[in-house]
Amino acid sequence: MKNYRFTLILLLATLVTACNDSFLEKYPLDKINDASFWKTASDVEMYANQFYINLKDPNYIWTKDNVTDNQGPGAREVYVWNEYTVPATDGGWGKADWLGIRSCNYALDHIPNMPKSAALSTAEGEIRFFKAFLYFIKVKRYGDVPWLETALTTESAELFAARDSRKTVIANMLKDLDFAIANLPEKSATDRLTKFAALAFKADVCLYEGTFRKYHKLGDHESLLKEAVTAAELIMNSKQFSLYSTGKPNDDYFDLFVQYELKGNPEGIMVQRFLPDKRMHNNVRQLGEPRTGYTKDFVESYLCTDGLPISISPLYKGDATFGTEFTNRDPRMKQSVYQADRVYRIYENGSKEFKPMPEFDNNYAPTSYYILKGYSPYERDRQQLQTIVDDFIFRYAEVLLNYAEAQAELGLATQEVLDKSINLLRGRVGMPGLKLEVGFTDPAWPNWEIPVTPLINEIRRERRLELSAEGKRWDDIVRWKAGKLLDNVKTYTGAKDPVTKANRILYPGFTRKWNDKLYLFPLPTQEIALNAKLTQNPGW
């Protein structure tokens, strides 16, 4: 028996120490690993799922406009009041902030070793789209950033390289986007990326970078503006999209942003959908107590129904009382800014609540100009994290705005261009069309640092109003080199207070002064200390 036990132990020891290499190299059967995963296009598609949440945060998107002339929050935003402290670490440059780009590169490192197929090219198109999408965030924040082709390791020399120029990064982004456009399908039954979503994003990128280079005097802007036009035209000429309209100019714009199902909506190039008990959000509840509101500067930008600005229109009734401001104005004003004759809440028993206006409350709307756009009055939508109102990721209206602006910046705008872009937006709400020669001078046009034509002034006005509370205004201010607009006291002023008979100043005793360094964020000091080739952005 002793000999038997000894022999058994010896045999087991031999198996453990002398077994072949293939046995030792087997991977756990219950876990995904590189050896077993990168086999099919479905693997890459599954891997791409992780990036979709980056397309748009379903919660609090309107808060992005708190740093602009459109909205005035209850507390001063540190960054645009020039009180931002250069961070020691992270600040948008930390390990976690680069993880998405590294994850894209990790997939792109493996795809060349997989069997080629059309399905694989489509999946690769998604990865390349997301890499460009994540890089665009970096370029807008920092300007020059390192362009990384592969997933780095702790030993990679690129960790200690200098930043690449924004021109190099944008050029590489556009190559990835062009690959995506060529390989993504025109439609997706499962709400994934499409060719037209990639085209819409390309138009965004090219307009942003083209105008940034033009107004910040970096050069090489015309080719980008032409690419913005081409991308927009491909979407427009496809005839697959149009503006949502039921022929109700006083309702359609508001209704567009409170729908429970946007799938199939003609304006939705790409939407994000929400379903009961599966994916819900908190937007409506938070819009009920947003701690911010539109500014006096913003509400004054709405035209009167005759197509003229309030500075010269005989239809303007003044702002002596809150309600009169809305009289004879662009119908989008009443569909974007709350006023007392609109239902504020509809309870489950059918009873209705109207909010008396004006109302100044830092927990609600400090300016008294409540953000109505996207706010559903139904009580069921105000329950915490129970909202299923859908949202847009890429909206056809923005494509039309991008197209009109790029054409105008190139000096190629015609009446035909306006009629198939800006005037479609105005037509939805029954407003007079924009004429190529404009036909008036508005003494209240913004005091741009770099003057623009009357036509560009009106295209910018249209963009400001149509895209309000969609988180777009800061990007516009930056690319137009228009930060000094924030020095205007009306950008932190609210409605007229019936007690004092004066407009409510949000931050008494403070005066805002723009600093050009704010066009780009600073790099964290620790990153510069670790990499001698990194330099700080100007002014920081």
Side-chain angles (χ1 to χ4, degrees), residues 52-53 55-59 61 191 259-263 270-274 279 281 283 388-394:
Y52 274 84
I53 193 62
L55 286 175
K56 194 171 183 182
D57 183 350
N59 293 304
I61 187 65
D191 303 318
Q259 297 191 24
Y260 295 134
E261 182 56 83
L262 283 176
K263 188 176 180 66
M270 187 173 189
V271 302
Q272 54 180 347
R273 301 172 66 207
F274 299 90
R279 188 182 184 219
H281 62 87
N283 267 8
I388 57 168
V389 172
D390 284 354
D391 200 2
F392 291 97
I393 295 174
F394 296 111

Side-chain angles (χ1 to χ4, degrees), residues 275-332:
L275 301 170
D277 303 320
K278 292 183 178 179
R279 188 182 184 219
M280 298 180 284
H281 62 87
N282 214 36
N283 267 8
V284 174
R285 182 181 178 89
Q286 290 301 318
L287 272 172
E289 302 178 22
R291 300 173 187 246
T292 188
Y294 291 123
T295 64
K296 184 66 172 174
D297 186 71
F298 173 77
V299 300
E300 286 188 341
S301 63
Y302 283 99
L303 299 172
C304 289
T305 52
D306 57 5
L308 297 176
I310 63 173
S311 57
I312 59 177
S313 174
L315 298 181
Y316 182 54
K317 300 299 183 182
D319 64 351
T321 60
F322 187 85
T324 58
E325 289 186 84
F326 296 84
T327 304
N328 299 330
R329 305 290 291 280
D330 181 332
R332 282 173 295 187

Side-chain angles (χ1 to χ4, degrees), residues 21 29 127 144 148 164 192 261 344 349 358 362 394 453:
D21 291 343
L29 298 178
I127 300 293
D144 297 344
L148 306 173
D164 292 301
R192 300 184 75 87
E261 182 56 83
Y344 180 66
N349 62 7
N362 278 5
F394 296 111
T453 65

Side-chain angles (χ1 to χ4, degrees), residues 166-185:
R166 65 185 298 145
K167 291 185 178 182
T168 296
V169 176
I170 292 291
N172 285 321
M173 285 169 50
L174 292 180
K175 289 179 184 177
D176 282 342
L177 284 178
D178 286 341
F179 182 95
I181 291 164
N183 289 282
L184 291 173

Side-chain angles (χ1 to χ4, degrees), residues 382-447:
R382 288 182 62 111
Q383 303 308 303
Q384 188 169 13
L385 293 172
Q386 297 296 304
T387 305
I388 57 168
V389 172
D390 284 354
D391 200 2
F392 291 97
I393 295 174
F394 296 111
R395 183 160 75 93
Y396 187 58
E398 187 173 0
V399 171
L400 299 181
L401 289 164
N402 289 348
Y403 169 74
E405 184 182 344
Q407 291 279 44
E409 290 288 359
L410 288 166
L412 300 176
T414 63
Q415 191 60 50
E416 181 185 5
V417 166
L418 299 179
D419 287 344
K420 62 183 182 182
S421 57
I422 298 298
N423 290 338
L424 294 180
L425 297 170
R426 290 192 175 188
R428 167 161 55 190
V429 293
M431 284 290 289
L434 174 62
K435 300 298 184 183
L436 187 63
E437 301 301 325
V438 177
F440 61 81
T441 298
D442 184 1
W445 272 330
N447 184 24

